[in-house]
Amino acid sequence: MDAAFTEEQHDIRRTLRELLLKRCGPDQVKAAVRTPPGYDERLWRQLAAQLGLPGLALPAAYGGVGCGPTELALACEETGRAVLPSPLIATAALAAPLILALGSERQRSELMPALAAGELTGTLAVPGGQLATALALTGPNDGDWAGGGRAGGMQARVQDGTWRLYGEAGQVLNGHTADVLVVAAHTGGFARGRTLLFLVRATAPGPAAGPDTGRTGGPGVPGLLRTRQTVLDETRPQARLELREVPAELLGGGYGDGDGDRSAVAAALAATGVTAAAALAAEAVGAADAALARTVAHVREREQFGRPIGSFQAVQHRLADLYVMLQAARSAAYYAAWSAGSGRSGGEGTSAPYGTAEPGVGALALAQALETLRAVAAEAVQLHGGIGFTWEHEAHLYFKRAACDELLLGPAHRLRARAAEEAGLCTGGAGEAGGIGELGEGRGAGGGRELGGGSRGADGSRVASAGGAAPASAGVDGAPPGARVPEAVEV
């Protein structure tokens, strides 16, 4: 791995940062999120036209720039620094990679150039708020997370030779404005149930849409109702989609009768999850970096007891700890992005642009970044004093982003547990509810968990190591029945 960025990567970062400094200050962000789309459409078109931002990680054969996840992560770090409200994550990190991986050549040629140019936006709609599960970030995505034939999910069936979708999905990123919806739906009933991905080509708001209701439809999409949801973080717009026998087309074409279709969907979602996690982690790192920089500037100027509060050692220690956390999160995000694109084949027309990433790297980087952003944002509010507690202060842009991203994609301990499970570092249960990771631990015969280093005597008793460290696990057969062993620390 070459940790040095290329000149092109430095140019992407520098150009985007300069543009966002001019066009995306805190006041402009607050004004943009209160518009019906939830973001500045003129700025989005400028970013697409001048920098090719939506197509940064898409192949040149389909109108993209031809870069990879690393460049996308660098761009997301800058958009996170400005807390930019935009459909970048939904389009470039979720919808476009899935269409590229699973779509037919006709679907790619029709949609990818428009998505890369910013003429269309897209998103991934997953029912039941199961986005993190669908992307295999908090658990395996081979289950019935799309509904499984139960109420509250998304169902797909063939009627008169056309796929029809029925159900609803909430917490859909930019779902109220996206032109292309990639919808996960359950089909096949209980006997041959499977989850497949479908394309719904939504259009501009229809005549019946009203800005006061927050509801949008489409004159060419009967049965589709989209409602913008009220969320804490307005810079990350979300919507609820209601589909009532909406016509759709299977991503890839055909009727998805084979088991290979199901496994291909799960694999494509998992690969997309790694890239999306790296981009979101980089975005969180950028936001944390900006929040820390604002806090450092404030403590240098704010005086108390006749001196700047930044001169007090206790404040310096707190800021130093945040800086260490930030650098660790940045390294993890960069490594995840590099790992997601390390196996890139380089062919411009390939449908699989990235290779297999290191197991668990995306979830681990995202967990580290979310925890860092949460810690930095909380300290920013505290160290700004009384003004930091007002909703109008820009510190709350970062605080809200930290809280909502973890609710949408976390919690962090489940991300870590999934990473440990994928890397083969736990004995089981990492993907279950509660997300308790058993990293570096063994199990005794009585079901207790063991953690530490050392050995066992001939009679099976635990023997401490010379350095006084806790004894090591002897595996399943090593502990005597009923032996009490210390619980492992949650990771």
Side-chain angles (χ1 to χ4, degrees):
M1 174 182 177
D2 184 4
F5 292 123
T6 65
E7 187 61 32
E8 181 184 15
Q9 291 168 338
H10 282 300
D11 287 341
I12 292 173
R13 167 184 280 174
R14 181 172 55 252
T15 305
L16 185 55
R17 182 178 299 185
E18 292 174 355
L19 179 58
L20 293 179
L21 281 175
K22 297 177 182 177
R23 296 286 309 275
C24 196
D27 293 336
Q28 293 162 311
V29 169
K30 294 174 184 178
V33 298
R34 288 173 172 82
T35 62
Y39 63 93
D40 188 342
E41 292 181 301
R42 291 181 59 188
L43 178 58
W44 172 250
R45 288 192 292 267
Q46 184 178 358
L47 292 172
Q50 294 185 5
L51 303 177
L53 198 60
L56 197 59
L58 298 181
Y62 294 109
V65 178
C67 296
T70 301
E71 288 77 10
L72 180 61
L74 290 176
C76 287
E77 184 178 358
E78 297 306 318
T79 61
R81 190 186 306 275
V83 202
L84 172 70
S86 77
L88 177 62
I89 292 293
T91 300
L94 294 177
L98 290 171
I99 297 173
L100 180 63
L102 298 175
S104 64
E105 185 58 36
R106 177 186 62 82
Q107 291 169 338
R108 292 184 204 140
S109 59
E110 289 180 358
L111 297 175
M112 297 299 292
L115 290 171
E119 299 170 0
L120 296 178
T121 62
T123 191
L124 171 63
V126 177
Q130 298 291 317
L131 179 61
T133 302
L135 298 176
L137 293 177
T138 56
N141 65 350
D142 53 357
D144 291 330
W145 45 266
R150 299 180 297 274
M154 189 74 66
Q155 310 300 322
R157 63 188 180 93
V158 178
Q159 181 180 7
D160 298 330
T162 302
W163 283 102
R164 301 278 177 174
L165 302 182
Y166 190 97
E168 64 179 48
Q171 296 180 291
V172 180
L173 296 178
N174 297 97
H176 62 299
T177 57
D179 302 295
V180 180
L181 304 175
V182 179
V183 184
H186 179 270
T187 186
F190 291 99
R192 300 185 59 195
R194 57 199 180 279
T195 298
L196 300 176
L197 296 180
F198 298 85
L199 283 176
V200 175
R201 308 195 188 200
T203 57
D212 297 332
T213 63
R215 293 172 175 261
T216 61
V221 188
L224 173 62
L225 184 64
R226 305 191 280 180
T227 307
R228 182 176 177 181
Q229 294 179 299
T230 301
V231 292
L232 179 63
D233 179 19
E234 294 179 308
T235 66
R236 188 86 79 191
Q238 299 176 29
R240 183 177 72 251
L241 308 183
E242 300 175 42
L243 295 87
R244 301 292 181 262
E245 303 295 341
V246 173
E249 56 181 302
L250 182 67
L251 194 58
Y255 292 98
D257 297 326
D259 291 335
D261 297 302
R262 175 169 54 184
S263 59
V265 167
L269 283 168
T272 300
V274 177
T275 303
L280 287 161
E283 195 178 60
V285 166
D289 194 11
L292 182 58
R294 288 180 180 273
T295 305
V296 170
H298 175 76
V299 300
R300 284 176 173 172
E301 298 175 356
R302 178 74 169 90
E303 291 189 0
Q304 188 63 272
F305 304 107
R307 56 190 289 193
I309 62 175
S311 65
F312 294 106
Q313 194 174 50
V315 174
Q316 293 175 356
H317 287 171
R318 292 166 73 174
L319 294 174
D321 288 342
L322 295 178
Y323 180 78
V324 172
M325 290 183 64
L326 176 61
Q327 294 305 318
R330 176 176 280 119
S331 296
Y334 287 170
Y335 184 77
W338 172 84
S339 180
S342 60
R344 189 170 187 181
S345 61
E348 292 185 349
T350 180
S351 61
Y354 314 125
T356 302
E358 185 176 335
V361 67
L364 196 59
L366 184 57
Q368 181 80 8
L370 291 178
E371 286 183 337
T372 299
L373 178 56
R374 181 179 59 190
V376 172
E379 288 287 4
V381 172
Q382 291 286 332
L383 292 175
H384 274 85
I387 191 175
F389 282 83
T390 61
W391 280 115
E392 294 76 16
H393 195 270
E394 55 266 20
H396 285 271
L397 290 174
Y398 309 106
F399 180 80
K400 294 174 184 177
R401 172 64 63 89
C404 287
D405 274 6
E406 190 162 1
L407 288 173
L408 182 67
L409 300 162
H413 70 268
R414 292 196 65 183
L415 292 167
R416 292 184 186 277
R418 174 58 178 169
E421 182 185 30
E422 285 188 314
L425 299 178
C426 61
T427 58
E432 298 174 359
I436 300 178
E438 296 168 4
L439 181 60
E441 57 181 327
R443 282 191 178 272
R449 289 175 290 190
E450 304 171 346
L451 181 68
S455 59
R456 287 189 178 272
D459 60 351
S461 61
R462 302 180 70 187
V463 181
S465 62
S473 167
V476 174
D477 299 326
R484 298 188 64 181
V485 292
E487 288 291 322
V489 179
E490 182 176 291
V491 297

